[in-house]
Amino acid sequence: FPVTIMFRITHFDLATHNKKARDPKEIYELFSKVYYDDSIICVGQNAYFDINLVKNWERLIGVDSTRSINHKLYDTVALSKAYKLGLNPPEDRAEYTNWQFKMLNHKQKGLKTSLGLMCREFNIEFNDAEAHSSLYDCIKTSELFQKLIWAVRVY
């Protein structure tokens, strides 16, 4: 994509990135301490997209990429689909990961679960102009997750 299109979609600015860029291995050391800490759950909107980015990052810097966070991951897309379909996840955490994959792969005409749409459905303020800004999306995903865990009874 041309840089102007990428900026418009993601707000990514190459000049700002180049000024602030640091060694990917250095950043990974800090990141992985939190990312793989089992006392911290991970929540994401379409999180497996981000997990694949992390796996690619690990391969590029020569880090063992066989570790997984599936056991501590909650994807708001899966939970949003469950909410819209009137389903609840299994109470057993061992079954949850498989259930989550099934929800993520469930396709149904008209079933929409975008972050903006789901925030509006739960009366969470959402600014489309801020969408796809990493910090803004993290905040809104967290707010949505806090509503969904009660709406679909996540244990």
Side-chain angles (χ1 to χ4, degrees):
F1 288 112
V3 172
T4 55
I5 292 173
M6 287 301 291
F7 176 76
R8 198 173 61 216
I9 295 169
T10 66
H11 306 281
F12 178 79
D13 180 47
L14 185 59
T16 301
H17 165 77
N18 288 337
K19 283 184 209 168
K20 295 180 177 184
R22 292 170 48 194
D23 180 349
K25 289 180 182 180
E26 174 189 336
I27 301 303
Y28 179 81
E29 287 300 317
L30 298 170
F31 169 82
S32 64
K33 287 177 184 166
V34 174
Y35 187 70
Y36 287 114
D37 182 339
D38 282 340
S39 70
I40 301 171
I41 66 165
C42 288
V43 176
Q45 173 81 3
N46 196 20
Y48 287 96
F49 175 83
D50 300 298
I51 287 172
N52 285 329
L53 291 176
V54 171
K55 292 298 175 194
N56 286 331
W57 180 16
E58 289 173 333
R59 279 190 288 277
L60 287 169
I61 63 172
V63 171
D64 173 21
S65 64
T66 59
R67 296 193 299 183
S68 173
I69 65 162
N70 287 344
H71 62 285
K72 64 179 204 147
L73 177 68
Y74 294 88
D75 195 306
T76 54
V77 171
L79 295 174
S80 294
K81 286 182 179 184
Y83 170 76
K84 294 228 174 203
L85 296 169
L87 303 173
N88 295 108
E91 290 184 39
D92 183 351
R93 187 65 200 167
E95 295 174 23
Y96 183 88
T97 299
N98 288 334
W99 174 87
Q100 184 164 251
F101 277 117
K102 286 178 188 172
M103 286 286 92
L104 290 168
N105 288 310
H106 178 78
K107 306 293 184 229
Q108 182 175 317
K109 188 174 183 174
L111 182 62
K112 308 271 188 223
T113 58
S114 72
L115 182 58
L117 180 99
M118 292 307 298
C119 282
R120 288 183 188 98
E121 187 146 335
F122 282 99
N123 297 313
I124 299 168
E125 184 181 314
F126 192 85
N127 181 341
D128 289 312
E130 291 293 319
H132 302 292
S133 163
S134 58
L135 180 58
Y136 187 80
D137 283 2
C138 286
I139 291 166
K140 294 303 167 182
T141 298
S142 174
E143 290 176 13
L144 176 60
F145 177 69
Q146 291 173 52
K147 299 286 187 177
L148 284 167
I149 59 174
W150 295 104
V152 298
R153 297 185 310 212
V154 174
Y155 299 96

